[in-house]
Amino acid sequence: MKHHTYTPSGVCSRQIDFDYENGRIYNLKYVGGCNGNLKAIGKLVEGMEIEEVIKRLAGNTCGPRNTSCADQLTKALKEVL
């Protein structure tokens, strides 16, 4: 299993960490941001295919921002594809 750390931009979270193996995501953790919501995202995507996570979450926005913590996750996932 490989580990990846990503520094998001334009959002409240300061770091995204996750493991991946065979095209699937595991152990997603955010540092900072909306704690409960970000823990929920981690539970929802656990074991999911990376491409499916990208398909579902890319382009999601937060308030007036043109991105979100979920959208930033897709950018991190694209780095490991």
Side-chain angles (χ1 to χ4, degrees):
M1 192 167 297
K2 295 180 182 178
H3 183 80
H4 190 68
T5 297
Y6 181 80
T7 302
S9 62
V11 295
C12 298
S13 62
R14 298 181 310 275
Q15 185 172 308
I16 302 171
D17 291 296
F18 59 89
D19 298 322
Y20 62 100
E21 184 174 58
N22 298 323
R24 294 185 180 273
I25 183 172
Y26 302 96
N27 306 314
L28 173 65
K29 302 271 188 291
Y30 285 85
V31 176
C34 303
N35 188 38
N37 291 332
L38 298 176
K39 283 181 187 175
I41 291 173
K43 289 180 180 183
L44 290 169
V45 303
E46 180 70 18
M48 188 180 286
E49 290 183 1
I50 289 173
E51 291 180 1
E52 182 64 24
V53 175
I54 293 169
K55 179 180 160 186
R56 291 181 185 211
L57 300 180
N60 188 62
T61 60
C62 181
R65 299 177 176 126
N66 63 358
T67 190
S68 67
C69 292
D71 183 56
Q72 290 293 300
L73 171 61
T74 67
K75 295 176 186 329
L77 292 172
K78 287 176 183 178
E79 287 187 349
V80 301
L81 282 182

